[in-house]
Structures are given as structure tokens and as C-alpha cells.
Amino acid sequence: MSDPASHDTTIWVVSDGRRGIENQALGLAEAVGRGLGTPHHIERVTVRKDGFVTLPSHSHPDFWIGCGRAAIPLARRHRRIFPDCHFTYVQDPRTRHDDFDLIVAPTHDRLVKPNAISMTGSPNRVTAEVLATAKDSFSDRLDTLAGRRIAVLIGGNSKRFKLDTASARYLTDRMDSLIAGGASLMVTVSRRTPESARKILREHFGADERVWYHDGEGENPYFAFLAAADWIFVTEESTNMLVEASATGAPVYVLPLVGTPGKFALLHAELEACGAVRPYLGRLDHWSYVPLDETRRVADALLNQYRAQRGAADSEAA
């Protein structure tokens, strides 16, 4: 196996390019890079809908980190081409488990395999440095928001939940009560937010000087919202945003949608158990907790496995 300390290490991030999918692999890749402590490149490998794969300029990876269904078939093919590469998959691939050196699966998936480790939620890109940089970049706009600042992260439809018109009206009512209590809001929607809900939010808050409403146009202030928030509200279906919010140290409240959580109730329970998340009961409470740092823990496990494998390979070669 190649030695990352002997050259600029190359880490491939393999996905279909969707932000919520790619960011999981990218967050883990960035944490691995920090753990290496040596020069490295992170390259994106994107699988298009027509099956075409865009390959990066650094064409020999030391680490291959994939996420999403589109990445799974590539692993076996790339293992033949890059036999010295370390292959990691984020989530439960549900098939071809042996194609990977390591599988990083959320605890609520309850995956039991010799090459699998569990984590609360999924890897993400939230670090103290990322938050500080984002807050500084958007400081002028943030400074216009008076009083306590609350980030409201709105997801959308999923297999188990629906953000219908009634849910959107419920969200606006909740946010109105927060504004009435003297808070300013930083509201962002996601790609999954249906247009009907976007329209309600846009018409309700678009001209309100106490609300920074981001609908996806222009530079994304998402990390700045996380960094500047005294409290964070997240719709319950968004596992990624719940975990990212829980990595900040700010109190996190869950906003309900129409549906049932199923296995994701286990994630909600984990986040409540670590002290990050509570249901919102109409009152803003203050509490503290140790920010969730599962991405770093998993990256350390990945690097430890890689180094052990490399040491075994070197011993065999000797």
C-alpha cells in the first residue's frame, strides 16, 4: 500500500453530486485530510444520471470515499484499477459490503458487518474553523439582525414526511411567535422544500427586516446561520441538518412535519441523549452540551485502519 506521508495524498469523493449526499463523503474526506497532517488533494468524482463518470486530474487515489447509490458499482471497478487504495463507503450500501475496506453507517441503520462502524447520524463539514470563517464572511448582513438570532433550517418531503401547506403554515406561526418574543430569524430552505412551501415562506417573510430568508439564490449563508445562531430549529425529517446543528454547541429544537419517523426516531433519541436536541414546547431554554464530533472520530478510525493495513502489507513485503 502507498504511504500518504511520502507524497501529496489524493482523496477521491465519489457521489452523484447531490449536495446532501456529496457533503457526507466530503466531510469525512476533509476530516481525513486534517488527520493526515500532510499535504493532500481532495478531488470530486461525479456520477452523472446518464452513467458518465467525471474523473479528476489527480487520477491515482490513496483514499476513495463514496456516498449514495451511484457510487456503489464504481467501487469494484476502481479496486481493480487502484489495488493499493483504501475504499470507504458512507451509509449502508445494502449490497456488495465486501467491496469496501470500511463502511461508515448511521447507528439507526443497525448494520452489523466486520468492516462496518456506526456513528450518530452522518459525516459533515462543520468545524469551528468553518463556522468562524462563514460568520466573518457574512458579518455585515448578520449585524443587521437585532436581538437574539435563531436559525430555522427547513427541509422538505421525504419517504416518511411531507411538508404540505398545513405544515408550512404551522412553521410560519411558530416563527411569528419567535419574532414576537424579540428574536431575529435566519431562515433557509433546502432543495427538497416544495415550491408551495417556499411560496408561503417567501410571501410571509420576504419583506420582513427581522428575517433573513435564503431561498437558495446567491452565495449560501448556511454555515453562517449555524455560527451566528443562539438557537437552531430544524424540521424533523432532515437527519443531515439535525446532526450539523448538533455539531455547533447551540441548543437545537425539532420542528414536526406530517409523517412518522420510523427508524429515524433512534437518531432523534441519540441526539437528545447527547444533550443537543429537545422538542420545542413554546419556550426558549438555555442549555449547553459538548458539540457532536462524530466525523473526527470516524476519520480517526479510518486512518487507524489504513495504517494498520499498510503496516501489515509492509511486513509481508519484507
Side-chain angles (χ1 to χ4, degrees), residues 9 13 15-16 26 81 84 106 110 117 129 136 153 158 176 182 189 194 220 226 239 258 264 283 291:
T9 305
V13 170
S15 75
D16 61 10
L26 183 57
I81 302 171
D84 291 338
R110 292 172 283 196
I117 61 174
E129 293 75 19
D136 183 65
L153 316 180
S158 67
D176 281 341
V189 295
N220 190 352
L226 292 180
T239 59
V258 175
F264 297 108
R283 182 185 69 246

XYZ file of all heavy atoms in Angstrom, residues 9 13 15-16 26 81 84 106 110 117 129 136 153 158 176 182 189 194 220 226 239 258 264 283 291:
194
model
N -1.037 13.297 -0.700
C -2.092 12.290 -0.685
C -3.293 12.772 -1.499
O -3.669 13.939 -1.444
C -2.530 12.018 0.759
O -1.379 11.654 1.522
C -3.561 10.916 0.821
N -13.645 11.841 -3.578
C -15.005 11.896 -3.044
C -15.944 11.512 -4.181
O -16.040 12.228 -5.188
C -15.320 13.307 -2.513
C -16.797 13.440 -2.180
C -14.463 13.621 -1.295
N -19.687 10.481 -5.670
C -21.135 10.589 -5.439
C -21.814 10.976 -6.732
O -21.157 11.145 -7.771
C -21.435 11.648 -4.370
O -21.280 12.950 -4.906
N -23.132 11.161 -6.662
C -23.864 11.643 -7.837
C -23.930 13.170 -7.876
O -24.586 13.742 -8.739
C -25.278 11.049 -7.886
C -26.123 11.425 -6.667
O -25.704 12.296 -5.869
O -27.214 10.843 -6.502
N -17.649 14.257 1.499
C -16.704 15.361 1.528
C -16.318 15.723 2.956
O -15.144 16.002 3.252
C -17.303 16.565 0.808
C -16.423 17.807 0.672
C -15.124 17.481 -0.046
C -17.184 18.905 -0.081
N -8.480 -1.251 -10.545
C -7.553 -0.286 -11.136
C -6.575 0.252 -10.112
O -5.397 0.487 -10.408
C -8.345 0.883 -11.770
C -9.318 0.353 -12.825
C -7.404 1.919 -12.386
C -10.290 1.418 -13.337
N -4.041 -0.505 -4.362
C -3.442 -0.003 -3.126
C -4.301 1.046 -2.430
O -3.929 1.533 -1.354
C -2.068 0.610 -3.424
C -1.053 -0.440 -3.830
O -1.257 -1.619 -3.486
O -0.062 -0.076 -4.492
N -24.878 4.957 9.750
C -25.544 5.550 10.918
C -26.046 4.472 11.870
O -26.470 3.397 11.434
C -26.705 6.343 10.303
C -26.883 5.808 8.931
C -25.578 5.255 8.492
N -28.514 0.140 12.014
C -28.252 -1.116 12.728
C -27.522 -2.143 11.857
O -27.859 -3.325 11.834
C -29.568 -1.693 13.265
C -30.180 -0.839 14.378
C -31.545 -1.277 14.788
N -32.552 -0.860 13.808
C -33.860 -0.835 14.030
N -34.323 -1.209 15.201
N -34.695 -0.446 13.086
N -18.488 0.332 10.895
C -18.558 1.026 12.173
C -19.775 1.940 12.147
O -20.227 2.372 11.076
C -17.283 1.841 12.474
C -17.048 2.912 11.409
C -16.074 0.924 12.606
C -15.884 3.833 11.748
N -13.548 26.079 12.674
C -12.924 26.961 11.687
C -13.892 27.312 10.566
O -13.970 28.480 10.136
C -11.671 26.296 11.115
C -10.531 26.113 12.086
C -10.758 24.978 13.074
O -11.619 24.107 12.796
O -10.087 24.960 14.126
N -17.686 35.352 9.666
C -16.943 36.558 9.284
C -17.313 37.011 7.876
O -17.447 38.215 7.622
C -15.442 36.278 9.377
C -14.608 37.497 9.079
O -14.678 38.475 9.849
O -13.890 37.499 8.059
N -33.870 25.891 9.951
C -33.432 25.076 8.821
C -34.596 24.205 8.371
O -35.040 23.327 9.110
C -32.232 24.205 9.228
C -31.129 24.893 10.048
C -30.015 23.904 10.368
C -30.588 26.108 9.321
N -39.892 13.740 2.196
C -39.035 12.564 2.206
C -39.936 11.333 2.133
O -41.151 11.453 1.974
C -38.181 12.537 3.475
O -38.996 12.348 4.618
N -43.460 33.272 13.697
C -44.079 34.536 14.121
C -43.994 34.700 15.639
O -43.735 35.801 16.152
C -45.537 34.588 13.679
C -45.693 34.956 12.208
O -44.736 35.514 11.628
O -46.773 34.684 11.645
N -39.092 38.877 20.334
C -37.928 39.741 20.213
C -36.759 39.172 19.437
O -35.693 39.792 19.384
N -34.181 27.306 3.253
C -34.856 26.109 2.763
C -33.832 25.218 2.074
O -32.683 25.611 1.863
C -35.997 26.479 1.790
C -37.088 27.248 2.505
C -35.466 27.285 0.609
N -40.737 21.877 -1.066
C -41.632 22.042 -2.215
C -41.925 23.516 -2.482
O -41.888 24.353 -1.573
C -42.891 21.284 -1.802
C -42.827 21.196 -0.316
C -41.378 21.166 0.055
N -24.376 30.890 -0.470
C -25.101 30.163 0.569
C -24.621 30.563 1.962
O -23.454 30.338 2.314
C -24.908 28.658 0.361
C -25.806 27.826 1.248
O -26.477 28.338 2.137
N -25.835 26.527 1.012
N -25.576 28.795 11.065
C -25.225 27.905 12.176
C -24.322 28.616 13.175
O -24.483 28.483 14.391
C -24.531 26.652 11.651
C -25.350 25.660 10.817
C -24.464 24.491 10.391
C -26.568 25.153 11.563
N -32.098 14.561 8.656
C -31.077 13.982 9.526
C -29.757 14.740 9.389
O -29.070 14.977 10.393
C -30.870 12.497 9.197
O -30.479 12.359 7.828
C -32.141 11.713 9.424
N -45.646 16.407 8.874
C -46.640 15.352 8.753
C -45.934 14.042 8.421
O -45.199 13.961 7.431
C -47.674 15.687 7.660
C -48.632 14.515 7.456
C -48.438 16.950 8.020
N -35.735 6.608 12.131
C -35.063 7.865 12.441
C -35.392 8.356 13.852
O -34.736 9.265 14.359
C -35.415 8.925 11.394
C -34.931 8.564 10.022
C -35.816 8.179 9.031
C -33.579 8.575 9.727
C -35.365 7.829 7.771
C -33.112 8.222 8.475
C -34.012 7.846 7.487
N -41.235 27.513 24.492
C -40.394 28.320 25.366
C -38.933 28.101 24.978
O -38.492 26.976 24.765
C -40.599 27.892 26.816
C -39.816 28.703 27.829
C -39.968 28.135 29.244
N -39.301 26.840 29.377
C -39.952 25.702 29.594
N -41.274 25.680 29.671
N -39.289 24.561 29.729
N -20.326 19.750 21.717
C -20.707 19.642 20.302
C -20.396 18.258 19.738
O -19.336 17.674 20.017
C -19.859 20.721 19.619
C -19.581 21.717 20.699
C -19.452 20.908 21.964
